[in-house]
Amino acid sequence: MSTCLVTGGAGFIGSHLTDKLIELDHEVKVVDKLTLGKKKFINDEAEFYQVDLRNFSELKPLFEGADVVFHLAAEPRMQITIEKPVSSHNVNVTGTLNVLEAAKESGVDKVVFSSSCAIYGEQELPITEDSDPDPESPYGLHKLMGEQYCRLYSKLHDLPTINLRYFNVFGPRKLAEGGYPMVIPIFLDQKQKDEPLTIVGDGKQTRDYVHVSDVVKANIKAWQSEITNGKAFNIGSGIQVSVNEIADIVGGETTHIPERPGEMRFIEADISKATEKLDWEPQVEFEAGLNDLMEHWGVE
């Protein structure tokens, strides 16, 4: 049994990860300031601390005795990072630096950092980990800086780290007001309310969707792997799905709204590196996962 600390453990991915770690008989500390996370999502068997990552003096003592840190806490709303770059930088970059410093000082065995495909910007498809990063939003830049800090701490301080670049994660607990991308929960919310589905632009833009249960497995594989030097791995499905395709599956009337700045047009991950080095591959097929999610939402 290990002691695991999950930042952002009241959030969408973090709460699922917490549940799985507890199912595997690990002790879990959840750190979340509840900006986007929901207390109702936190497993009753976890220790919960409502702490802001920017407050190092409050954060540091929580790392004592932790074997692994899964760092998921962030300001993930791309538009917020564009509109409020300074405050979101403090959460995403300074917060990550505080996590790494606390982990180093506390002798944590490994930090698993949740990064994002937003670091890439427009790329030739499929996107590999060797693609030159070209973020189109502060959020993408923040995640890239977080990865670089992880690699630097591994190099300078021998702190084992690994970076997971999530593509577009979907599943239960993903809320319409949560972080980017939000098209699936927004569509389901609109469908529940019998409102038209709002398609951004022409709807031909694609994303690479990966189910939250597969992302949880990737985190655990990353922790258990021998990777310790901050290497990055794409965590996606390797399949493109367009907004129009999602609208067709959800069903109902649609309406179009203007495109937003800072968003990539087409996305598809090359996940061969994660398959080879982490012994991980996604198990949940997109349409089956979406149909299950629609049932979870009570959407017909």
Side-chain angles (χ1 to χ4, degrees):
M1 181 178 69
S2 297
T3 298
C4 310
L5 189 149
V6 181
T7 73
F12 166 46
I13 302 171
S15 63
H16 283 282
L17 175 59
T18 297
D19 287 346
K20 187 63 177 179
L21 291 170
I22 288 172
E23 180 186 320
L24 295 172
D25 291 327
H26 298 298
E27 292 184 353
V28 181
K29 297 179 181 180
V30 167
V31 178
D32 200 302
K33 64 175 181 169
L34 299 180
T35 299
L36 292 175
K38 304 294 183 184
K39 199 167 184 179
K40 65 182 180 181
F41 292 162
I42 302 172
N43 193 298
D44 290 338
E45 295 182 36
E47 295 179 36
F48 171 56
Y49 302 90
Q50 188 170 348
V51 173
D52 191 321
L53 297 186
R54 293 170 292 185
N55 189 333
F56 185 78
S57 62
E58 287 190 22
L59 184 68
K60 165 66 168 54
L62 305 180
F63 283 62
E64 295 298 332
D67 298 299
V68 61
V69 173
F70 297 94
H71 178 35
L72 295 98
E75 171 48 84
R77 295 170 293 184
M78 189 170 293
Q79 291 303 311
I80 295 294
T81 71
I82 293 172
E83 296 163 9
K84 299 179 179 180
V86 175
S87 61
S88 58
H89 175 99
N90 290 337
V91 173
N92 291 341
V93 182
T94 305
T96 295
L97 182 57
N98 283 343
V99 166
L100 291 168
E101 186 66 12
K104 180 200 77 175
E105 293 185 7
S106 302
V108 169
D109 292 336
K110 197 169 198 177
V111 175
V112 181
F113 176 60
S114 292
S115 186
S116 167
C117 66
I119 72 157
Y120 288 118
E122 296 296 341
Q123 302 280 351
E124 291 187 9
L125 303 181
I127 300 171
T128 73
E129 290 88 348
D130 295 328
S131 302
D132 288 332
D134 186 22
E136 299 187 359
S137 68
Y139 174 68
L141 181 59
H142 298 162
K143 286 298 185 182
L144 181 59
M145 293 175 73
E147 287 191 16
Q148 292 172 329
Y149 264 125
C150 286
R151 284 190 285 273
L152 193 61
Y153 266 68
S154 292
K155 183 183 293 186
L156 293 179
H157 305 299
D158 294 321
L159 175 66
T161 66
I162 185 170
N163 296 306
L164 301 182
R165 294 173 178 169
Y166 303 156
F167 278 65
N168 300 83
V169 187
F170 76 106
R173 302 179 192 164
K174 180 71 169 178
L175 304 176
E177 71 267 22
Y180 170 89
M182 299 181 290
V183 63
I184 291 175
I186 284 176
F187 278 1
L188 296 182
D189 185 54
Q190 291 168 336
K191 178 78 170 180
Q192 269 190 335
K193 297 174 180 176
D194 200 27
E195 297 173 352
L197 310 184
T198 52
I199 295 175
V200 175
D202 60 12
K204 295 180 181 179
Q205 62 270 34
T206 64
R207 296 293 181 262
D208 181 321
Y209 289 95
V210 58
H211 195 268
V212 65
S213 62
D214 287 321
V215 173
V216 165
K217 291 173 186 175
N219 272 269
I220 294 172
K221 289 280 191 179
W223 169 28
Q224 296 171 342
S225 77
E226 296 182 358
I227 306 296
T228 60
N229 59 355
K231 282 190 177 179
F233 295 87
N234 288 340
I235 303 300
S237 66
I239 299 171
Q240 294 184 60
V241 179
S242 74
V243 174
N244 289 334
E245 289 176 278
I246 297 170
D248 286 343
I249 295 171
V250 174
E253 295 184 11
T254 61
T255 185
H256 290 259
I257 60 176
E259 293 184 1
R260 298 175 294 220
E263 296 189 2
M264 299 155 67
R265 177 72 170 159
F266 302 110
I267 302 178
E268 178 188 335
D270 181 330
I271 59 172
S272 58
K273 189 176 175 183
T275 300
E276 178 186 355
K277 301 294 185 182
L278 301 181
D279 189 29
W280 172 88
E281 58 183 347
Q283 301 296 317
V284 180
E285 187 268 337
F286 175 73
E287 189 163 351
L290 180 53
N291 285 330
D292 286 346
L293 188 57
M294 290 171 65
E295 183 176 338
H296 177 79
W297 278 64
V299 170
E300 298 179 357

